Amino acid sequence: MDAVELRARQGPLKDGYRDDPGSARTRAAASGRVRVGEQACEVRSWEGTTMAGLHPATGGDGTRACSADMLLEALVACAGVTLASVATHLGIELRRAEVHAEGVWDARGTLGVDRSAPVGLTEIELSFDLETDAAPAMVDRLVQLTERYCVIYRTLVEPPAVSVRLKPPSDEDR
């Protein structure tokens, strides 16, 4: 898709959001079914399901997706789509573009070995490997705008309020 087509698709959306800011609030959702006894969760996705399980550092056998890897995959996907869109808007031709994310977490925290050890990713590095003839200043601008507009990146940098609730049992469950 070129810049003209992208602007044609996004223009009416932007106009609508300016006229009615509330209409821009977009809900995202995910769900899964826990495989009780397997320490696994079947997560529905756009192209089927992903079976998430324990990382080998916590007792898994490495045959199931690690949730931390899935989070990094979401970051890579969002940053990649955002980078491509921003490059299109800026008129930057990318011959090749790769996005990488790496994270570090301490298994002692999630296993309860050390209560002072953090639970969760404590370091994330997002990197871009680009081939383009664009001037370095334009490439810097491309990366800056990708950081600014990438939903997953912004969510990680500025975490939202997160709540947990237990749904009451349905009549079928009783």
Side-chain angles (χ1 to χ4, degrees):
M1 175 179 340
D2 65 15
V4 171
E5 185 178 352
L6 184 57
R7 284 187 180 95
R9 286 186 182 192
Q10 291 181 339
L13 295 169
K14 290 179 177 185
D15 291 342
Y17 300 151
R18 284 185 194 100
D19 293 343
D20 179 10
S23 70
R25 291 183 50 83
T26 304
R27 184 164 299 279
S31 60
R33 182 172 303 275
V34 176
R35 294 277 184 100
V36 178
E38 295 182 43
Q39 292 73 45
C41 184
E42 186 177 354
V43 180
R44 290 180 280 285
S45 67
W46 288 98
E47 293 193 22
T49 60
T50 298
M51 188 64 67
L54 293 172
H55 187 279
T58 62
D61 63 9
T63 60
R64 294 189 168 148
C66 166
S67 300
D69 290 338
M70 292 169 71
L71 176 71
L72 296 174
E73 289 166 355
L75 174 60
V76 165
C78 188
V81 170
T82 304
L83 178 90
S85 297
V86 171
T88 299
H89 274 289
L90 294 177
I92 295 174
E93 183 181 329
L94 297 172
R95 284 190 304 281
R96 185 180 60 79
E98 293 183 14
V99 183
H100 307 274
E102 292 185 28
V104 174
W105 56 279
D106 189 332
R108 295 174 306 155
T110 196
L111 287 175
V113 171
D114 181 347
R115 289 175 92 53
S116 67
V119 176
L121 291 164
T122 55
E123 300 171 35
I124 297 176
E125 179 182 74
L126 179 65
S127 61
F128 300 96
D129 184 7
L130 308 176
E131 281 184 18
T132 181
D133 292 328
M138 285 300 290
V139 173
D140 288 345
R141 182 79 176 136
L142 171 62
V143 171
Q144 290 169 356
L145 291 173
T146 298
E147 289 177 44
R148 177 174 169 79
Y149 296 118
C150 175
V151 171
I152 303 302
Y153 178 85
R154 297 297 340 150
T155 301
L156 292 169
V157 171
E158 300 169 8
V162 178
S163 62
V164 177
R165 69 181 172 100
L166 180 62
K167 287 187 173 183
S170 68
D171 289 337
E172 294 174 8
D173 295 334
R174 294 182 190 171

